Amino acid sequence: MTADKPGNDGHGREHDDVARLHQAGDAAYRRLVEGVLDYAIFLLTPSGRIATWNAGARRIKGYEAAEIIGRHFSVFYTQPDIDAAWPDEELKLAREHGRFEDEGWRVRRDGSTFWANVVITAIKHADGDLLGYAKVTRDLTARMEQERERRRMAELVEESRRMTEFIAVLSHEIRNPLAPLTNVLSLLGRETLSPRAAWCVEVASKQVRQINRLVEDLLDVSRVTTGKVRLTTAPLELGEVVREAVEGMRPAAEAREHRLQGTWPREPLAVTGDRTRLIQLVSNLLSNAIKFTPPGGTITLTLRRDGDAAVITVVDNGIGMTAQTLAHAFEPFSQGEEHARGHGAHGAHGGLGLGLALVRSIAELHGGGAAADSAGSGQGTTVSVRLPLRTEADAGDAADAMK
C-alpha cells in the first residue's frame, strides 16, 4: 500500500467528505430555520413572491405554508403602505444596498396588526445576478407597548411634578394676603359694631378661615407629593392622640347636629409617630364624615388593637360612595365631579377632596395604610386606618438613640 499524497485519491476522498459535510450542514441549517418560533424567516423570489415558510412565520403571521407560498409578500402590509408601493420600494432598497431594515405595522391573516421589525437581505449569485431575498420579521408589539407605557408614566410623573410645584407656588401666593385680612377682621371683631356689621365680619372671618384651611391642605399635599414632609416622631399613646382629635372635632360635629361617638380600649396602644400629623389624620377622617353626612347623622370612631397594629375606624350614615368613588377615594381632588353631580359637593359639602388623600399619605408615612368601604350611594361610609404598634425592639432602638 502507498501513502495518500496531495492530488491522489486521498485528496479526492477529503473533498467528498467536505461536500457531504456541507450537504449535511445545509440540511441541518434548513431544519434550524424552519423550526425557529420567535422569528418569521422566509425566502422571496426576485419579484417578491413567497418561496419558503418557517414555524415562526406561521406563529407570527397566522398563515399555513400551503396558504401563503406563491403569494406576493405585500399581503402582510397595511393598505396605505400598499397604496404607496412601499413593499416594492423595500425590495428595491435591499437590491441596491444588499440589505434593508424597517419597522412598521404589518397585517396578520386574521386582519389584526402588529408592530414589526423587518430585515430584507438580497441573495445574489457570484456573478451578481439576483436570486431572491431572505426576509426576517420580529413581532415587537409587546416591546413597543412597554416603551409607550414607560413614556406615558414618565409624562405623568413630570406632569404631576409640574402641577405640584404650581400648587405650592399658588398656595403661598394666596396665603400671603390672607394674613393681613385675618388681622384686620380680628381688629374689627373687637370694635363696637352694628348687628349687621358684626354679622358681615363674622361671615368674612369664617370664609377666610375656610380659605386658610384649603390652602394648608394644598400645601400639605404638595409637601407629601414632593417628599418634603418630615415627621417629628416620638413614642406616643395612640388613645390620647385620638381622644384629643375627637374633642377638637366635636364643635364641628355639633354645628351639623351630628352625634359623635368614640370608643377605645382600656389598655394603651403604643406607637411611634408624629403627634401633630396623627391628630391631623384623625381630624381629617372625622371632618370627611361630618362633611358628607346630612345634619342629624351619627358618626362613630373606634380605636382597637388588631395583632401588631392599631386600627382607627370611622363609620358614618352619610351619603356613601359608589364603586367608582371608592376606587379613587384616596386620590387628591377626587371628590369633586361625582359628588358635585349627585350631591352638590361644591355647594353643600365644599372642599377640594384632599382630606382622605392626606389621611392615606400620613398613614403611609407612619408605615401603615388606609382603606374605605361603602354599600353604595346613601348607605354611609366606613374608613379605616392601620398603624403599626411600637415593638420592644423599637423601644430599645429609641433608648439607644437617646444615649
Side-chain angles (χ1 to χ4, degrees):
M1 295 181 63
T2 59
D4 293 331
K5 296 180 181 179
N8 64 10
D9 290 344
H11 181 76
R13 283 196 299 272
E14 183 178 333
H15 179 78
D16 291 342
D17 289 341
V18 170
R20 285 194 295 271
L21 183 60
H22 275 297
Q23 291 174 357
D26 289 343
Y29 180 74
R30 284 196 299 272
R31 287 195 297 272
L32 174 64
V33 170
E34 290 168 359
V36 170
L37 290 174
D38 294 331
Y39 296 83
I41 305 173
F42 51 96
L43 297 177
L44 301 176
T45 66
S47 64
R49 296 195 174 276
I50 298 161
T52 65
W53 198 243
N54 80 329
R58 183 171 64 250
R59 185 185 70 83
I60 293 172
K61 297 177 182 291
Y63 290 92
E64 295 294 333
E67 297 177 291
I68 199 65
I69 289 178
R71 297 179 64 179
H72 196 271
F73 82 112
S74 59
V75 70
F76 307 132
Y77 289 70
T78 63
Q79 192 58 49
D81 282 344
I82 294 173
D83 293 341
W86 183 239
D88 290 334
E89 180 66 17
E90 286 187 340
L91 295 186
K92 175 177 175 290
L93 292 170
R95 185 169 61 252
E96 292 176 352
H97 302 286
R99 180 182 182 276
F100 177 75
E101 184 170 358
D102 184 32
E103 285 193 9
W105 292 107
R106 297 295 184 267
V107 182
R108 296 188 178 93
R109 182 181 184 278
D110 61 5
S112 63
T113 57
F114 67 100
W115 188 259
N117 170 269
V118 175
V119 177
I120 301 176
T121 304
I123 303 173
K124 297 182 179 180
H125 195 272
D127 59 9
D129 288 343
L130 181 69
L131 299 177
Y133 304 90
K135 192 166 187 288
V136 179
T137 301
R138 285 189 297 165
D139 184 352
L140 299 183
T141 307
R143 193 181 76 177
M144 186 193 69
E145 292 296 336
Q146 290 171 356
E147 178 62 21
R148 180 184 295 172
E149 182 65 16
R150 187 195 65 77
R151 288 197 301 269
R152 189 181 74 86
M153 292 303 298
E155 290 170 358
L156 287 175
V157 169
E158 177 61 19
E159 181 182 346
S160 176
R161 185 190 64 79
R162 289 198 300 265
M163 178 60 70
T164 300
E165 289 179 353
F166 170 75
I167 289 173
V169 172
L170 179 64
S171 299
H172 282 293
E173 291 299 319
I174 293 175
R175 191 166 61 169
N176 288 337
L178 286 177
L181 280 175
T182 301
N183 293 334
V184 168
L185 290 170
S186 178
L187 290 173
L188 284 174
R190 298 172 189 172
E191 300 290 329
T192 301
L193 302 172
S194 67
R196 183 175 180 83
W199 176 81
C200 289
V201 170
E202 180 184 354
V203 170
S205 298
K206 182 178 179 181
Q207 295 306 312
V208 168
R209 287 196 299 272
Q210 172 73 353
I211 294 172
N212 263 315
R213 185 183 65 80
L214 294 177
V215 169
E216 288 302 319
D217 282 351
L218 283 169
L219 285 171
D220 274 337
V221 168
S222 174
R223 294 180 190 118
V224 169
T225 303
T226 56
K228 294 181 179 178
V229 170
R230 295 293 181 264
L231 300 182
T232 303
T233 60
L236 299 172
E237 202 287 288
L238 190 57
E240 294 179 0
V241 174
V242 170
R243 285 191 289 272
E244 181 177 342
V246 169
E247 292 310 309
M249 293 302 300
R250 198 172 291 282
E254 291 173 351
R256 296 269 290 172
E257 301 178 355
H258 292 323
R259 183 183 179 192
L260 177 57
Q261 302 172 319
T263 59
W264 29 77
R266 292 180 179 273
E267 69 275 10
L269 295 177
V271 299
T272 299
D274 185 314
R275 185 182 189 88
T276 301
R277 290 297 179 182
L278 289 177
I279 289 175
Q280 181 185 17
L281 180 152
V282 178
S283 299
N284 281 4
L285 281 175
L286 293 172
S287 175
N288 193 74
I290 291 168
K291 184 188 303 181
F292 293 108
T293 300
T298 300
I299 298 166
T300 302
L301 181 147
T302 303
L303 172 64
R304 62 184 176 86
R305 182 185 186 120
D306 182 17
D308 59 357
V311 179
I312 305 168
T313 303
V314 173
V315 180
D316 65 61
N317 61 349
I319 64 175
M321 295 188 189
T322 64
Q324 181 181 353
T325 309
L326 281 171
H328 304 282
F330 294 99
E331 296 176 6
F333 313 109
S334 63
Q335 68 139 317
E337 291 188 8
E338 185 168 340
H339 282 146
R341 290 195 301 268
H343 304 285
H346 297 294
H349 306 303
L352 297 173
L354 300 176
L356 290 185
L358 287 171
V359 164
R360 182 182 64 177
S361 297
I362 294 170
E364 290 177 348
L365 286 171
H366 284 80
D373 189 35
S374 176
S377 183
Q379 301 299 310
T381 302
T382 299
V383 182
S384 298
V385 171
R386 292 180 66 88
L387 297 171
L389 292 170
R390 190 169 79 250
T391 64
E392 293 182 4
D394 294 333
D397 292 341
D400 292 340
M402 294 175 65
K403 291 180 180 179

